[in-house]
Amino acid sequence: MIGNGQRGADEEIDLAAELGAQDNYSTQCFTIYIPNKDKNGKELGNQRKWVLEALALLTELNGGATAMPPTEGVWGNERGEQVWENPVVVYSFIRGDLFFASLPRVREFLHRMGRETNQGEVAIEYQKQFFLIREFDTPAGEPGGTT
């Protein structure tokens, strides 16, 4: 139920019923920022690969995902340089049980993307909280491997 200024601030309506939508909707959104440059500002050349992989993973876990057109952003790398880039924002409204049971797969994707694209950090958002991954897992079988 949500409040609606047109009907009065205290009156609640069932938006799903009013719109003829299903009533078992998700309010939890998980977002991944897919970079197009590495931590030194070098173009990756394979951003689309990572976008498609993120879309496929989140669709498998949540039933669907959306990629927004590239946006413009800038961040400061460890040398204090500004890296201007055009990340693609991929988001999905989660299905709690399957998503949370699959967090090791999500972690593996995020850490692999960070390593293979030479990132200073990988950015994700969940429930209006912003997280940065700055140290990436080393795959099992490699020296120091833990995953």
Side-chain angles (χ1 to χ4, degrees):
M1 300 279 214
I2 64 169
N4 179 334
Q6 297 293 325
R7 294 186 179 180
D10 295 333
E11 186 177 353
E12 291 188 2
I13 64 168
D14 183 342
L15 188 60
E18 292 289 329
L19 298 176
Q22 65 184 27
D23 61 357
N24 58 343
Y25 54 88
S26 174
T27 60
Q28 298 174 312
C29 186
F30 183 78
T31 305
I32 304 171
Y33 292 79
I34 309 291
N36 73 315
K37 293 184 178 176
D38 75 2
K39 65 183 178 184
N40 301 310
K42 180 182 173 196
E43 288 282 341
L44 298 179
N46 66 349
Q47 181 185 44
R48 183 79 178 144
K49 167 198 179 302
W50 295 104
V51 169
L52 294 175
E53 191 171 338
L55 285 167
L57 175 62
L58 294 178
T59 297
E60 180 183 336
L61 301 180
N62 301 321
T66 300
M68 301 297 287
T71 187
E72 189 170 7
V74 62
W75 68 280
N77 68 15
E78 66 253 6
R79 292 188 309 274
E81 301 166 333
Q82 291 185 350
V83 177
W84 291 83
E85 63 179 336
N86 298 104
V88 170
V89 177
V90 176
Y91 69 93
S92 181
F93 284 89
I94 69 166
R95 293 179 181 167
D97 293 343
L98 181 57
F99 180 79
F100 292 119
S102 301
L103 283 178
R105 289 182 58 203
V106 176
R107 179 183 178 134
E108 186 280 328
F109 169 77
L110 295 170
H111 285 250
R112 182 169 44 85
M113 181 178 70
R115 279 191 318 274
E116 292 182 15
T117 62
N118 192 31
Q119 295 302 299
E121 55 195 29
V122 169
I124 54 174
E125 248 182 290
Y126 175 70
Q127 293 295 87
K128 299 182 181 179
Q129 295 181 12
F130 191 68
F131 300 91
L132 297 171
I133 302 168
R134 294 185 172 144
E135 294 183 21
F136 306 112
D137 296 339
T138 304
E142 290 186 20
T146 58
T147 60

